């Protein structure tokens, strides 16, 4: 008897995330650091494992090096399995064709043989762009019970923001009668979360048809889903009520980090019943010195804090020297804030050196925007980086 | 890189020194410095010397040890060839489990016989140090020693069983003293780390068994200094063994010293088991000074000169000074602690005041609620 999996997850992780600017110069968006010790991809991967899904294909394309290394053999998520587990799926050269992934649907289409190897009943399509905790098992059950060809996770968004999303227009029973991709005048505020469950045979059929269609842009939202609806397939929405954030912009990434703070946080990563797994840093506990002050912040292992940190999120091995202040900021691992430096309302990537008495950004209330420093750069002693600037090279001031 | 050596870590042999902490676990698995267990130093030092096979000699209470070590993957010791090899005590109707090091060694002769490495590094699991084991083996080879004993020059602390060495100018060991009185003068404290040829060790064990000896130190090492070439290797870095509860307390406090911390952890090569705790949260109004805070903590009160392990909660208005709070300790609000050690899962209710002193820290046993 052929072994099988009830559900295989396919995680689209090839996006560039161009609206994160300097943060994704050399890494794929799902590999961007989040919440002091995580990377964005930890959330969908942990959701899979916590939902009982142990077979995940991760489709990579843009700058995959760091993402590949991070995922490794999948052990941090218990995804190093004899049958199943996590598999990195880059574009490849085939006998008849070889091409980059041309769209979300094409990426999945090119990995048909991966999915079929597990003979799944259902395929779960995920993206590596969102911060959320979701039990996919509930969605799978709803999908199976409804007998739909496809079920799409949906969340209510504020009506004024609805035109940024793919909007689902649904009947009372949750079945979908219309898709509107980023409508100017939305009919509803029910947005697609980019999470789809397909009955496997239906997915294969429509992907093959889509591949043959020269007019298709090979995208799920624009092409495959509308085609299925027009063909009369039963398509259901699955309501999700909880925290869900697309961290595709600098400000969304910043906000989502800040949502972790406080005793009763908007988003709790410390929930023991839904652990977020990650590759842990090899570092001793963080050290707060006699001169250190940490207020309303999240600090990861290996940090050495001798300055003031307020309302900020610091990843592992960050050093804040004496007399330096960090306020309303997200600092990623290995960055050093030298003595007397002032960092306000900024996102600073990994392994940055902020020189002595340098000044990054401005107070949140006066700032023109979030200041961003890209990875592996140095800001000279005394240099001043204006608020809202994005710097991705060594900076000596103007 | 060490040529062909196998490690053997003794996990229970110093249990008697800290009964408070080893009542429920082997001394090697006593939590230390916020996120480690003592054995992490032995394992990491061996692995960092290129050793890929480590025998773990256990005796009793080893559930937490086995839970910690798992497959050995955290130390890169989940291997097809070698890796972590658990060596629980051998006993049957006539033989009880070992009571001393010699019997423990006798119990692992099958393990030693089946290896093919040239050397064995015998290592006590409670030694806190970042020791370059490869350099000890190099020294051992260069001095053509039969046995190399690693020592640390310090005032030393008396415990149930310890040795001091006398060495000559060529580092040859001239005398081994067992449990001598220690004054305030520096002595050459044996760190319970030894390099020895594997076959030589097997011969020693066999002869000792035939002669009915019972003590490795007393009957074998100290009595045969003329015939055995025993050399001392001087270790100059930070070292502490676990002689008593105050020693354990002081060792934790030593980690607040920047130089000690940098020496042990600066290279980020002391490995330990990870647990996927969330990063620690400092709530508005929290005050933290001169402290090590592990992940998963939530701090609303004041913490000074202290070590907080994973998942510790400090309530509002509480003041924790000079204390070591192990995993999942929950401190209510308005609590005052000074020189306190709490074992895992302790709950201190609102407005309790507890204090000890450096010589006698106030100890709260695992799972207690006060």
């Amino acid at each position: 008897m052929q072994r099988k999996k009830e559900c295989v997850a396919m995680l689209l992780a090839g996006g560039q995330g161009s609206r994160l600017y300097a943060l994704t110069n050399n890494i794929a968006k799902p590999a961007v650091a989040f919440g002091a010790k995580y990377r964005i991809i930890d959330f969908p991967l942990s959701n899979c494992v916590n939902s009982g899904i142990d077979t995940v294909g991760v489709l990579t394309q843009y700058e995959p090096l760091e993402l590949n290394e991070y995922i490794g053999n999948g052990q941090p998520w218990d995804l190093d399995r004899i049958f199943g587990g996590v598999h990195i799926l880059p574009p490849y050269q085939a006998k008849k064709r070889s091409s980059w992934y041309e769209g979300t649907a094409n990426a999945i289409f090119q990995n048909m043989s991966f999915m079929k190897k597990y003979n799944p009943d259902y395929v779960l399509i995920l993206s590596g762009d969102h911060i959320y905790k979701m039990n996919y098992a509930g969605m799978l059950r709803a999908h199976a019970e409804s007998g739909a060809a496809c079920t799409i996770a949906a969340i209510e968004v504020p009506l004024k923001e609805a035109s940024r999303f793919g909007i689902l227009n649904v009947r009372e029973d949750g079945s979908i009668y219309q898709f509107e991709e980023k409508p100017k005048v939305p009919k509803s505020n029910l947005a697609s979360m980019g999470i789809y469950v397909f009955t496997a045979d239906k997915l294969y059929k429509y992907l093959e048809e889509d591949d043959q269609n020269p007019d298709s842009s090979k995208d799920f939202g624009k092409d495959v889903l509308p085609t299925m609806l027009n063909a009369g397939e039963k398509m259901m929405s699955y309501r999700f009520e909880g925290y869900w954030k697309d961290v595709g912009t600098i400000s969304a990434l910043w906000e989502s980090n800040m949502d972790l703070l406080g005793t009763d946080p908007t988003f709790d990563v410390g929930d023991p019943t839904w652990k977020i797994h990650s590759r842990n840093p090899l570092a001793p506990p963080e050290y707060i010195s006699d001169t250190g002050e940490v207020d309303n912040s999240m600090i990861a292992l290996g940090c050495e804090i001798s300055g003031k940190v307020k309302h900020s999120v610091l990843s592992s091995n960050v050093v804040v020297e004496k007399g330096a202040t960090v306020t309303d900021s997200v600092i990623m691992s290995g960055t050093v804030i030298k003595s007397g430096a002032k960092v306000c309302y900024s996102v600073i990537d990994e392994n940055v050196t902020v020189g002595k008495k340098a000044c990054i950004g401005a107070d949140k209330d006066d700032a023109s925007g979030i200041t961003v420093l890209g990875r592996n750069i140095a800001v000279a002693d005394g240099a001043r980086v204006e608020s809202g600037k994005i710097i991705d090279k060594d900076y000596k001031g103007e | 890189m060490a040529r062909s050596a196998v490690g053997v870590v003794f996990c229970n042999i110093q249990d008697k020194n800290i009964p408070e902490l080893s009542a429920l676990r082997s001394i090697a698995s006593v939590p230390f410095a916020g996120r480690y267990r003592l054995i992490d130093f032995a394992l990491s030092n061996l692995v960092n010397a290129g050793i890929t096979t480590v025998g773990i000699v256990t005796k009793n209470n080893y559930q937490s040890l086995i839970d910690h070590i798992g497959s050995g993957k955290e130390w890169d010791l989940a291997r097809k060839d070698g890796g972590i090899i658990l060596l629980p005590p051998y006993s049957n109707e006539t033989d009880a489990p070992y009571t001393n090091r010699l019997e423990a060694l006798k119990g692992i002769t099958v393990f030693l016989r089946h290896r093919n490495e040239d050397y064995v590094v015998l290592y006590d699991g409670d030694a806190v140090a970042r020791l370059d084991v490869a350099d000890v083996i190099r020294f051992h080879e260069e001095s053509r020693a039969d046995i190399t004993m690693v020592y640390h020059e310090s005032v030393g602390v008396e415990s149930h069983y310890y040795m001091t060495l006398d060495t000559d100018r060529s580092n040859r060991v001239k005398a081994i003293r067992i449990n001598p009185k220690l004054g305030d003068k520096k002595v050459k404290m044996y760190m319970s780390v030894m390099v020895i040829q594997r076959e030589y060790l097997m011969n020693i064990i066999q002869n000792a068994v035939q002669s009915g000896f019972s003590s490795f130190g007393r009957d074998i090492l100290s009595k045969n200094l003329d015939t055995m070439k025993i050399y001392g290797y001087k270790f100059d870095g930070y070292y502490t063994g676990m002689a008593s509860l105050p020693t354990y307390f002081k060792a934790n406090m030593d980690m607040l010293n920047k130089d000690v911390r940098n020496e042990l952890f600066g290279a980020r090569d002391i490995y330990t088991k990870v647990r996927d705790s969330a990063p620690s949260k400092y709530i508005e109004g929290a005050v933290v000074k001169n402290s090590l805070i592990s992940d998963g903590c939530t701090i609303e009160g004041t913490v000074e000169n202290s070590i907080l392990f994973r998942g510790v909660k400090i309530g509002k208005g509480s003041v924790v000074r000079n204390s070591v709070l192990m995993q999942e300790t929950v401190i209510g609000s308005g609590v005052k602690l000074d020189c306190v050690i709490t074992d895992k899962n302790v709950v201190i209710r609102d407005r309790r005041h507890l204090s000890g002193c450096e010589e006698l820290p106030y100890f709260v046993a695992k799972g207690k609620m006060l």
Side-chain angles (χ1 to χ4, degrees), chain B residues 42-227:
Chain B
L43 291 179
S44 301
N45 290 334
L46 291 167
V47 165
N48 290 336
I51 290 170
T52 56
T53 301
V54 179
I56 305 287
V57 183
T58 60
K59 184 179 177 186
N60 44 17
N61 290 340
Y62 48 77
Q63 189 219 321
S64 72
L65 180 79
I66 287 173
D67 176 54
H68 182 67
I69 293 173
S71 65
K73 65 176 187 278
E74 322 279 5
W75 300 267
D76 250 349
L77 286 173
R79 303 255 178 168
K80 262 189 191 168
D81 179 18
I84 285 279
I85 296 170
L86 290 170
L87 302 167
Y90 174 84
S91 70
N92 57 26
E93 278 170 20
T94 50
D95 288 343
Y98 68 83
T99 55
N100 59 48
R101 191 181 305 268
L102 194 56
E103 286 175 15
L105 284 167
K106 191 182 131 196
I108 65 165
T109 42
V110 176
F111 164 73
L112 292 172
R113 198 181 310 132
H114 285 142
R115 300 307 312 172
N116 55 12
E117 285 85 353
D118 295 335
Y119 303 112
V120 182
V121 183
L122 301 178
Y123 208 129
D124 278 8
D126 66 320
V128 174
R130 187 165 174 276
L131 172 69
D132 184 348
V133 173
D135 195 55
V136 181
I137 294 171
R138 209 173 298 127
F139 171 91
H140 179 81
E141 288 182 327
E142 279 165 11
S143 52
R144 297 173 190 281
D146 295 322
I147 294 174
T148 297
M149 299 173 79
V150 182
Y151 69 86
H152 186 253
E153 246 175 9
S154 55
V155 175
V157 184
E158 292 178 13
S159 62
H160 270 84
Y161 190 85
Y162 57 97
M163 293 185 212
T164 64
L165 311 179
D166 289 354
T167 55
D168 68 12
R169 282 163 66 188
S170 68
N171 287 316
R172 177 111 185 225
V173 175
K174 287 294 170 193
I176 296 176
R177 295 172 211 286
I178 293 160
N179 293 359
K181 266 264 158 267
L182 298 177
D184 3 325
K185 275 220 296 240
K186 281 193 176 180
V187 288
K188 292 172 178 168
M189 286 291 288
Y190 172 51
M191 285 170 58
S192 300
V193 180
M194 168 185 292
V195 176
I196 185 167
Q197 263 83 343
R198 187 176 54 88
E199 289 183 1
Y200 191 82
L201 175 63
M202 287 193 298
N203 285 336
I204 290 179
I205 298 167
Q206 201 181 358
N207 292 338
V209 170
Q210 283 166 359
S211 314
F213 291 148
S214 64
S215 167
F216 191 57
R218 212 181 302 268
D219 298 333
I220 297 164
L221 298 178
S222 68
K223 297 241 171 83
N224 295 291
L225 292 169
D226 297 334
T227 51

Side-chain angles (χ1 to χ4, degrees), chain A residues 19-41:
Chain A
R19 287 170 305 148
L20 287 174
Y21 304 100
L23 301 181
T24 50
N25 275 354
N26 315 101
I27 63 169
K29 181 164 145 188
V32 168
F34 176 82
K37 75 174 283 195
Y38 307 100
R39 291 175 189 261
I40 296 169
I41 198 165

Side-chain angles (χ1 to χ4, degrees), chain A residues 23 58 66 77 83 222 225 262 305-306 338-339:
Chain A
L23 301 181
V58 177
E66 189 147 327
W77 304 269
F83 182 64
K222 291 196 194 100
L225 299 177
I305 312 294
S306 298
K338 297 264 190 187
S339 62

Side-chain angles (χ1 to χ4, degrees), chain A residues 35-38 75-76 78 80 260-265 267-270 275-304 310 314 317, chain B residues 32-36 73-74 255-258 261-262 265-272 274-295 297-298 300 304-305 307-308 316:
Chain A
K37 75 174 283 195
Y38 307 100
Q75 183 269 320
D78 272 345
D80 49 339
L260 307 175
L261 300 177
T263 35
D264 185 19
F267 184 63
D268 183 11
V269 281
K275 268 202 173 184
I276 307 303
H277 305 281
S278 68
R279 201 171 277 281
N280 284 257
L282 205 69
E286 64 259 26
Y287 175 73
I288 318 295
S289 83
D290 274 333
T291 57
E293 287 179 35
V294 182
D295 195 5
N296 193 18
S297 295
M298 187 174 250
I299 313 276
L301 297 172
C303 288
E304 296 259 342
K310 196 174 175 187
L314 272 55
N317 299 320
Chain B
F32 182 71
R35 73 175 302 217
Y36 300 93
K73 65 176 187 278
E74 322 279 5
M255 300 303 127
L256 297 176
N257 177 310
K258 186 169 187 167
R261 209 166 55 242
N262 281 347
F265 306 114
R268 302 285 193 258
D269 60 2
I270 302 298
Y271 312 105
T272 190
V274 298
R275 296 198 149 251
D276 282 343
S277 307
S280 283
K281 274 202 286 195
Y282 299 71
I283 306 302
E284 216 165 333
V287 177
V288 182
K289 301 280 182 197
N290 190 35
S291 295
L292 276 172
I293 313 290
S294 197
D295 43 2
C297 295
T298 306
E300 294 187 72
E304 285 176 20
N305 310 325
I307 315 284
L308 268 51
K316 255 188 204 157

